[in-house]
Amino acid sequence: MDFKRIEEILNDKETDARLHLVHWTAGGKVKTVTPTIGDQFEKNITNITKLQVNNCKKLTEEKYNIIGSNDDVVETTSKQAYKKKH
């Protein structure tokens, strides 16, 4: 995982943080709501993300395991692994 690139993006003044709330509906579909957030809340989200990225830099990196997760491991995958195959 390219933590340096992630930090560059998080520190870029052009980067916006948004909040997405996702849940399953009673009908079994996924619904997403993206509320408008204030500047201070956006800064808080960005700071929390920076802290978590910094914490992850010292962890072991492994390929994503759908069966379960291990403590102290960052699991990674690629977008290609989830691309629809037609």
Side-chain angles (χ1 to χ4, degrees):
M1 182 173 288
D2 190 350
F3 288 111
K4 184 175 180 178
R5 179 69 183 127
I6 294 169
E7 289 173 329
E8 287 173 1
I9 292 168
L10 289 171
N11 289 322
D12 186 336
K13 298 292 184 207
E14 298 297 315
T15 299
D16 294 326
R18 295 193 178 104
L19 178 65
H20 301 286
L21 306 173
V22 182
H23 69 276
W24 292 98
T25 66
K29 295 186 178 186
V30 176
K31 183 172 183 176
T32 304
V33 178
T34 306
T36 301
I37 60 174
D39 291 341
Q40 186 58 49
F41 191 54
E42 181 179 0
K43 287 178 188 173
N44 290 346
I45 290 172
T46 301
N47 288 335
I48 291 167
T49 304
K50 287 178 182 179
L51 178 65
Q52 290 305 313
V53 166
N54 192 48
N55 289 339
C56 288
K57 288 195 297 190
K58 57 189 167 217
L59 300 178
T60 303
E61 189 174 325
E62 294 180 6
K63 186 176 177 185
Y64 172 69
N65 179 356
I66 195 169
I67 304 299
S69 63
N70 296 320
D71 292 341
D72 301 324
V73 171
V74 175
E75 294 183 328
T76 60
T77 191
S78 67
K79 289 185 263 180
Q80 204 59 25
Y82 293 92
K83 189 174 181 179
K84 277 190 174 181
K85 296 178 182 169
H86 299 272

